[in-house]
Amino acid sequence: MTASDKLLMKLSNLDALPGQEAQVQAALQEVIQDSATKDAFGNLYFGDLKTQKKKIALYAHMDEVGFFVHRITEDGFVYFYPIGGWWSHVILGQQVRATCRKNGNVLEGIVGTLPKTSHKMTEVVPISEMYIDFGAHSKTELEEAGLQIGDMILPNTQAKKSFNQKKIIGKALDDRVACTVMAQVKNQIDPKNIEVIGVGTVQEEAGTRGSKVAAAQVEADINIVIDVANGKDTPKAAEFPNRIQGNGPGLVLADKTALANIKLLDYCKAVAEKNQISWQYDLLGGGGTDAGSVQLFAGKPTLVFCVPVRYCHSWNSIVEISDVEEAINLLSAVIHSLDEGGVDLEQF
């Protein structure tokens, strides 16, 4: 198992609801071999923010979609509120774990599968009507265990490798894949002429909130946002299969909130082809990334690197290990080229 595999599986198993990213913050500070600073909002910065060198920022969001405790009934059932995009089909009957912020206790439960009788079998149960059964007898019992309103609830899964050892299956690959890529690139490169700032952002799944703060702190000359999106290579996922696992990271032309700097995209494409690194064009037609916030701070060249991940925003997602490695290879090669080639960043 490679260092990237180990790190991704470790990060996948951590829990970090938007606004409660402490577990991932601590893990990244432990693994990235560079000094870290944290702003008041919770964003992490790895590198010298005050340098006089040109700066390239690598953004990866630390949070994941999840839920928090909304209401506890007197007989011990817990109603919950979703943070980020959820599809009701994937929730019923699933195992969850709630982390009690009061004492650190982790309570395991199941999303109840018995909707009110008025629901037809063909209907989707609204999330507002779902509840979690922790096996408690009363509200008092849960409160004595430490559970309170606002505690985060996340899928109770453990990351694993596929039978052929070529893929990793786990939760929160959106965006722990990017956290892994950013950490590995930071640890592998040693640029002399430019400063690379690794940025772990918070609250991306709640409206790209952290990056709005982070962009002003970094003031980078080039911004590269690393993210993931649903692979379109599964049966009937798309009329035209794209974002194909095994074909490398995508260079994103556009998403709903940002347009790529086309010169920067072409530069990364040329570096990939020169170094025989897999890549593919991408277009995120259904959502946005931190790029939308970062790009609008000062208008600096911005590009999204997108790793294909199947079944995002669900209990278990799947990523191709080679795509993660190629994203690391391509970003490292791009940074090396910009640093050693003496490229004027103003050309973009």
Side-chain angles (χ1 to χ4, degrees), residues 167-215:
K167 299 176 188 272
I168 289 176
I169 304 169
K171 76 165 182 67
L173 299 187
D174 179 7
D175 199 20
R176 306 295 154 69
V177 165
C179 291
T180 299
V181 172
M182 183 267 285
Q184 292 296 87
V185 171
K186 277 291 297 177
N187 286 342
Q188 288 181 11
I189 62 171
D190 185 24
K192 301 296 189 295
N193 302 308
I194 57 179
E195 182 73 12
V196 176
I197 309 293
V199 187
T201 63
V202 297
Q203 299 189 35
E204 191 270 355
E205 299 290 0
T208 64
R209 294 165 58 83
S211 57
K212 291 178 172 66
V213 176

Side-chain angles (χ1 to χ4, degrees), residues 6-278:
K6 291 179 181 178
L7 178 57
L8 177 53
M9 295 176 74
K10 175 182 178 179
L11 293 177
S12 171
N13 290 334
L14 300 179
D15 295 339
L17 191 71
Q20 301 185 51
E21 296 94 349
Q23 292 182 28
V24 176
Q25 289 167 341
L28 289 179
Q29 287 177 284
E30 180 180 333
V31 73
I32 295 177
Q33 301 160 14
D34 202 345
S35 58
T37 56
K38 184 166 68 171
D39 64 28
F41 207 58
N43 298 304
L44 287 179
Y45 308 92
F46 298 91
D48 184 4
L49 293 176
K50 297 181 179 179
T51 183
Q52 297 303 307
K53 297 178 181 178
K54 295 289 188 178
K55 289 181 284 190
I56 298 176
L58 307 179
Y59 288 83
H61 71 84
M62 299 180 289
D63 59 315
E64 64 190 285
V65 295
F67 316 93
F68 65 71
V69 177
H70 183 220
R71 180 167 61 92
I72 307 174
T73 68
E74 291 300 324
D75 48 357
F77 295 102
V78 174
Y79 286 83
F80 53 94
Y81 184 82
I83 300 293
W86 280 102
W87 192 36
S88 295
H89 285 74
V90 305
I91 300 175
L92 279 177
Q94 298 280 14
Q95 294 186 31
V96 298
R97 56 180 180 249
T99 301
C100 304
R101 65 186 188 278
K102 179 185 294 184
N103 54 19
N105 281 349
V106 176
L107 310 182
E108 297 181 338
I110 296 173
V111 180
T113 58
L114 296 177
K116 62 185 182 182
T117 56
S118 62
H119 281 304
K120 298 178 181 179
M121 294 297 289
T122 55
E123 292 178 346
V124 178
V125 180
I127 294 176
S128 61
E129 295 182 13
M130 297 180 189
Y131 59 86
I132 296 170
D133 188 344
F134 288 102
H137 294 95
S138 66
K139 178 179 182 180
T140 300
E141 188 177 8
L142 286 171
E143 290 177 337
E144 288 177 348
L147 193 70
Q148 58 184 319
I149 304 301
D151 283 342
M152 65 178 172
I153 303 168
L154 290 165
N156 190 22
T157 65
Q158 291 293 312
K160 65 187 78 172
K161 281 195 172 183
S162 60
F163 76 97
N164 57 10
Q165 305 296 297
K166 295 184 181 297
K167 299 176 188 272
I168 289 176
I169 304 169
K171 76 165 182 67
L173 299 187
D174 179 7
D175 199 20
R176 306 295 154 69
V177 165
C179 291
T180 299
V181 172
M182 183 267 285
Q184 292 296 87
V185 171
K186 277 291 297 177
N187 286 342
Q188 288 181 11
I189 62 171
D190 185 24
K192 301 296 189 295
N193 302 308
I194 57 179
E195 182 73 12
V196 176
I197 309 293
V199 187
T201 63
V202 297
Q203 299 189 35
E204 191 270 355
E205 299 290 0
T208 64
R209 294 165 58 83
S211 57
K212 291 178 172 66
V213 176
Q217 298 293 319
V218 180
E219 294 186 297
D221 297 280
I222 287 179
N223 302 296
I224 295 179
V225 174
I226 315 163
D227 215 318
V228 305
N230 275 317
K232 299 297 185 181
D233 56 351
T234 55
K236 300 182 180 180
E239 183 177 351
F240 175 74
N242 68 327
R243 203 176 300 128
I244 296 170
Q245 291 200 332
N247 284 9
L251 302 180
V252 179
L253 292 157
D255 63 35
K256 279 199 167 183
T257 64
L259 294 173
N261 179 289
I262 202 70
K263 290 182 179 179
L264 179 58
L265 185 150
D266 284 344
Y267 184 86
C268 293
K269 170 181 174 290
V271 170
E273 292 176 343
K274 178 181 178 180
N275 291 276
Q276 297 183 314
I277 298 171
S278 300

